Amino acid sequence: MTAVSYLIAGMVVWGGIGWLVDHFVGTRGIFAGFGAVLGVAGGVYLIVRRLGA
């Protein structure tokens, strides 16, 4: 359950930050997509680092 929460939280937080950047820059979803991918990558990193999976 912890691993799933790391993935979801990373995607939501970094995707949200990307959405905010999209809003201020005027693009349509480019940074939100990058942010979501970055969030998933960060979540996988945390899973491997903290849980040793």
Side-chain angles (χ1 to χ4, degrees), residues 7-51:
L7 290 175
I8 292 173
M11 190 174 7
V12 168
V13 169
W14 286 104
I17 290 171
W19 178 80
L20 286 174
V21 171
D22 278 331
H23 179 72
F24 288 118
V25 174
T27 56
R28 293 180 184 250
I30 294 171
F31 291 105
F34 286 144
V37 170
L38 182 66
V40 169
V44 169
Y45 173 76
L46 284 176
I47 290 168
V48 170
R49 179 92 168 138
R50 293 190 181 179
L51 301 178

